[in-house]
Amino acid sequence: MRNRFITTASTLLDEDPRLAVVLADISAAGFEPARAAHPDRVINVGIREQLLIGAAGGLALTGLRPLVHTFASFLVERPFEQIKLDLVHQDVGAVLVSALGSYDWPAGGRTHMSPGDVALLDTLPGWTVHVPGHPDEAELLLRDAAAGDGLVYLRLSEQQNSSAQPITPGRFLTLRQGSGGTVVAVGPMLDAVLAATAGLDLTVLYAATVRPFDAEALRAAVASGGGPAEVVLVEPYLAGTSVPAANAALDPLPHRLLGLGVGQEEVRRYGTMDEHLAAHGLDATSLRTRITSWLS
């Protein structure tokens, strides 16, 4: 997904003079041809993440649309005060494009893991949050975000699904229909969810955009169930992040919710991404056990 971001953003710089790319060393080599073509609109501030957001806010105040990029932990967590003040408080738009995410590069250690990024942005108003599950979806969502004016977080991952889905920005996609409950699979969790729910009488919704939360799609999915709605959220970041949004969507319907995702307890091993997924109970086998046990 990160490679697709670099090629797509470089093309967009040629097409739209309003766009600028702001970097903090990460992926700078990939943007070197674009920097040579547009030296005034490809800016590398070095390993200065607070400045990264501050510069983006300044560019936005001049009327440019900044595409701001580094690893998720350095894009959202480290400069959070600048996001709050230089973007949200100043009432300007930007597109924050992350890489790695929750567990994508375990050898990088805890400093390169950001399972709390979406939950942190939930404390601020006005954010659109996209979590694509495939490079094709990442390109579509990036182009949509670049053409807009608001605050967008595009969360890219090394983890991806085997194929892209025909998504519409901001809308959930119904992939399976059943009467025994609803499972919402977010971004790169889709393949594991489909495998985990194979043969079960469950509705599966796919979410490549989680904010705003598609309340209408969730209500429609549970409407045919008959009894109290039973909903499982499977997210590739902090478990329970979208539970408040889903609760709000289903109010005042009687319902139960299970939020699955990355646990709060730190996995203090390097290992591989697949091993971290298993440790958090997010592999297909673990998901099937957790979902069926809860539903029963």
Side-chain angles (χ1 to χ4, degrees):
M1 292 191 205
R2 179 153 55 126
N3 289 338
R4 183 68 65 89
F5 161 65
I6 292 170
T7 58
T8 302
S10 297
T11 299
L12 289 171
L13 285 168
D14 296 332
E15 299 171 353
D16 188 349
R18 188 181 65 134
L19 297 179
V21 170
V22 192
L23 307 169
D25 266 3
I26 302 302
S27 302
F31 277 103
E32 188 56 31
R35 189 202 64 79
H38 308 284
D40 56 334
R41 291 191 288 124
V42 178
I43 301 164
N44 182 9
V45 302
I47 307 175
R48 300 174 180 88
E49 286 82 10
Q50 288 88 347
L51 177 59
L52 175 76
I53 302 299
L59 291 169
L61 285 169
T62 72
L64 292 174
R65 178 72 165 156
L67 310 179
V68 192
H69 172 66
T70 186
F71 295 153
S73 55
F74 306 145
L75 184 63
V76 176
E77 293 179 333
R78 180 172 293 173
F80 181 71
E81 182 181 13
Q82 282 67 43
I83 292 174
K84 180 178 72 173
L85 298 178
D86 297 352
L87 297 178
V88 178
H89 178 65
Q90 293 291 344
D91 197 23
V92 294
V95 182
L96 306 188
V97 183
S98 70
L100 294 188
S102 300
Y103 38 64
D104 295 26
W105 187 36
R110 188 63 170 175
T111 56
H112 288 69
M113 298 179 182
S114 185
D117 52 351
V118 177
L120 195 56
L121 286 178
D122 272 347
T123 66
L124 299 173
W127 282 91
T128 293
V129 178
H130 298 309
V131 189
H134 189 275
D136 290 353
E137 298 169 10
E139 178 172 347
L140 185 153
L141 293 168
L142 174 61
R143 288 181 175 276
D144 182 78
D149 296 302
L151 291 165
V152 180
Y153 179 42
L154 180 60
R155 191 184 201 267
L156 306 184
S157 178
E158 293 294 313
Q159 183 186 10
Q160 67 179 62
N161 301 314
S162 56
S163 60
Q165 298 298 324
I167 60 170
T168 299
R171 303 293 297 173
F172 293 175
L173 180 67
T174 303
L175 296 182
R176 289 179 184 163
Q177 290 187 305
S179 60
T182 300
V183 182
V184 181
V186 175
M189 297 311 308
L190 179 60
D191 277 2
V193 167
L194 290 176
T197 58
L200 302 179
D201 187 22
L202 297 173
T203 294
V204 175
L205 300 180
Y206 177 54
T209 301
V210 292
R211 301 292 181 277
F213 191 86
D214 191 354
E216 181 182 350
L218 182 59
R219 285 194 294 266
V222 305
S224 60
E230 296 187 305
V231 177
V232 181
L233 303 171
V234 185
E235 305 178 272
Y237 36 78
L238 191 64
T241 295
S242 292
V243 165
N247 272 326
L250 296 175
D251 184 45
L253 300 174
H255 64 276
R256 292 198 308 147
L257 276 171
L258 174 64
L260 301 180
V262 178
Q264 285 192 331
E265 191 70 26
E266 179 182 347
V267 178
R268 294 179 176 271
R269 299 180 182 89
Y270 290 108
T272 65
M273 182 168 66
D274 287 343
E275 288 172 329
H276 277 249
L277 284 164
H280 290 293
L282 295 176
D283 60 298
T285 301
S286 299
L287 285 173
R288 189 176 184 91
T289 299
R290 298 172 79 184
I291 291 170
T292 55
S293 297
W294 183 78
L295 289 172
S296 64

